[in-house]
Amino acid sequence: MAKPKACHAEEEPENFWWQRGLFQPPRAVVKWDHTIEGKPSRGIAEPGRKVSYSELFFDLVLVTNISRLGESYQEGHLPLAAALVCYRVLYECWMASTTYASRYYTDDLLSKGVVGALMFVLVLCGLRLDDAFPANTRSLGFFAGVFHLVMFIPNARVWRCLPEYRTFALREALVPCLFKGTAFIAASIYAPEEYILVADVGIIVSAIVWSLIHYGCFMLPKANRAPIHVDHYIERRSCYRLIVFGEVITGVTVNPADYSFISIGLIALGFLLVFNAKLLAFDVDVVPVSRHVMRVGGVARVMTYIESAVIFDGTMGLMGSCVKIVLGTLIESETVADKDYARAESAHLTLCFCVAIGIATLTIERLMHDHGHIFGEEVAEDVDEKTPLVEETKYGSMVVREHFDAIGSPNVKSTIGDIEFVDELNADAIEAARNEKDYNRRLAKTIWGVQMACHVMGTAAATALGIVCLRIDEDFEFLLVLAALWGITASMVVIDLLDEALLY
């Protein structure tokens, strides 16, 4: 039986998946352009590649487990360190699935079965999170290992059907899946109780080191690397992050014992804090794909961006748990004697650190993108009568164009004086436009520096508030700390919108 030939998206017939065959070879969603001297020049992405409903449902299942982690931490079943490690273990599962979906795709019966099996394994990951530590951590680690072994199947199909990417698939997916799968299972079974977290962290660090070696030290030729669909990856990450924020909102859904000013104020400030974090993550610094680090960054920058995003998403999930602990401790209890201020102080301290780490990681993400439009060479484009200024400039480019249309046209007789007047006017407009461009760039640099400085100060202020939390024992003091955190994040939003307001 002949091996089926893999195809790219544009070669695929437009009909239902079962009409194309129950078993289809995987395809690369981005292929190299080999038109320049037989060497790949750029990646041609599959048009219209969007996040599928199955991928969204997969993310929902995963984030449900993250929410369960937060509940276990709130109820005292998981210590903070164990909750963070378990989150990172779950994130390894998401990363393995997302990178595969951003490079390859198939829509046959086997792929649907694999996706269903992966979701079911994620459900199994959260079954015993209500148990005491370390039983819950062992169970999650065991099924996370099973997840990676299941991911071995679609990557093995890539190795079989796409021979040009065999070495890449072996290094980038098959070896890591086999290593993480067996290592997580072995650690969950054989690691002593006091070393279970150390073992999981060691597996994660080893996987990161392997990625650095694979991409940095032993980089394959361009034609033998499966390019990633940047648009799909960015959209998938954004969808995942938005679902995490949706789970964070559950932290403010606390029924107060009495609807007093302080209880409603605490709920409102908790929501506004999460809302400001969402604005910072999505709305105030929208990066075009052409400048995104996933498209223009090197290995170190891309890895830094990915790890910063991991930390940010984790701290946002933890922030929701801390908000729920604080609100549940303070406004669900009817009497002062029922309020566990020590637990609320601890959660408030963690909440402050979550805000500080969130601001810091978002700043790092922003630094990783390309800022050549701000810090590039200040060379104005050559503009003359053949390439007149655009109509939107405020220095009379339309006037210049009208003079050329009226005077410089072959059908209109013009005097030498008129031509000299037009040339002088055009030169003045060009010089004014260049001055405006230089001014805008200097202003952009100043605003960018102010924004970075304010991010650093915001991180320091949120950290300082955590120290204050250790000495509070009244409801209104917790209210003031939440108000201060909201003020810090709101200030970040306003400052990050300066470039939008002044330059656009």
Side-chain angles (χ1 to χ4, degrees), residues 32 103 167-168 171-172 210-227 297-300 302-303:
W32 291 116
R103 285 193 170 100
T167 303
F168 180 82
R171 295 182 184 178
E172 197 268 340
W210 172 257
S211 296
L212 291 173
I213 294 174
H214 162 56
Y215 286 105
C217 301
F218 300 103
M219 179 70 76
L220 291 169
K222 192 175 183 179
N224 300 122
R225 303 196 306 265
V299 176
V302 169
M303 293 295 292

Side-chain angles (χ1 to χ4, degrees), residues 57 71 172 177 295 434 485:
F57 188 63
E71 293 173 0
E172 197 268 340
C177 284
R295 183 177 294 277
R434 285 174 175 167
L485 289 176

Side-chain angles (χ1 to χ4, degrees), residues 382-402:
D382 292 330
V383 183
D384 53 25
E385 60 272 15
K386 296 181 181 179
T387 57
L389 302 176
V390 296
E391 287 79 3
E392 288 80 3
T393 56
K394 62 182 180 180
Y395 288 96
S397 59
M398 282 301 294
V399 176
V400 175
R401 186 170 296 177
E402 289 171 359

Side-chain angles (χ1 to χ4, degrees), residues 41-56:
S41 59
R42 61 190 177 92
I44 302 177
E46 173 183 317
R49 177 80 170 108
K50 299 294 184 181
V51 175
S52 66
Y53 293 119
S54 294
E55 290 173 303
L56 282 176

